[in-house]
Amino acid sequence: MYLEAPPPLMGENRMVFRSLDWAAFQQIRQLLAERTHARFTYDTGVLEITMPLEGHERLARLIELFIRILVVELGLKMKSMGSTTLARADLLKSAEPDNGYYIQNYALVADHEVDLAVDPPPDLVVEVDITHTDIQKNALYASLGVPEFWRFNGREWTILQLVEGRYEECDCSPTFPLVAKADLYGFLQTAIADEVTAELDFRQWVRAQTQA
């Protein structure tokens, strides 16, 4: 099943630079981050600079709402990382996802600023990629050790679980086994027309499922 609404023609503007060492990447990022709202993804010499457009941002925020409803209604704890930079200089990899969350490992990071040199990566990372990306993001986040990775291209939701260093596609989320792909598609379909109704309806549905 897919989201019924057709995807926007453009979700992001992207620029790609190749053969950049880590120091050059850091210089470019520092220079541009002060002047733009761009996001920077770096993987072993390849730098992709992304400027999210409205279609991208709306879907990312709606998926964030979907996750927050689940966390609240299921009585879980969560630390939201948003698009905080996930950088590992030792791996020559850095990413700024749409959303990152600590849920299972919430207690390990709740009281301090995350340092990936000593702290685990987020339990769940979400990326909306409507237009083509030159970065192999599955490999990137697998290298960073992210246990669960959601990708959404405007129509299709892919759930990936890290197994022995590589991602395997799942039918439902390991973090939220209560929901299936159809539930996100239905939520987004409603939310595109009416976000408040979508939230109220989904909260009611989650409560009904947990009380059954």
Side-chain angles (χ1 to χ4, degrees), residues 13 28 31 36 47 49 54 64 67 70 75 84 96 117 125 135 146 150 160 167 176 182-183 187 193 195 205-206:
N13 289 326
I28 292 172
L31 177 66
T36 72
L47 169 62
I49 302 175
E54 180 180 338
E64 182 177 35
I67 290 171
L70 285 168
T84 300
E96 296 176 355
V125 160
I135 299 287
V146 173
W150 291 8
L160 300 166
Y167 283 124
F176 306 111
D183 299 313
F187 174 81
E195 295 181 24
W205 179 86
V206 175

Side-chain angles (χ1 to χ4, degrees), residues 135-157:
I135 299 287
Q136 299 297 318
K137 291 190 176 178
N138 291 10
L140 171 62
Y141 286 112
S143 296
L144 293 174
V146 173
E148 184 174 352
F149 180 29
W150 291 8
R151 302 193 72 176
F152 190 68
N153 66 4
R155 288 190 69 236
E156 185 176 5
W157 177 27

Side-chain angles (χ1 to χ4, degrees), residues 79 81 102 106-115 118-120:
K79 180 172 183 175
M81 300 296 288
Y102 286 93
Y106 166 81
L108 297 179
V109 298
D111 62 350
H112 63 271
E113 186 172 325
V114 171
D115 179 358
V118 294
D119 292 314

Side-chain angles (χ1 to χ4, degrees), residues 148-172:
E148 184 174 352
F149 180 29
W150 291 8
R151 302 193 72 176
F152 190 68
N153 66 4
R155 288 190 69 236
E156 185 176 5
W157 177 27
T158 303
I159 305 169
L160 300 166
Q161 182 179 19
L162 193 64
V163 179
E164 296 182 353
R166 301 184 66 177
Y167 283 124
E168 294 183 359
E169 189 169 348
C170 305
D171 292 328
C172 63

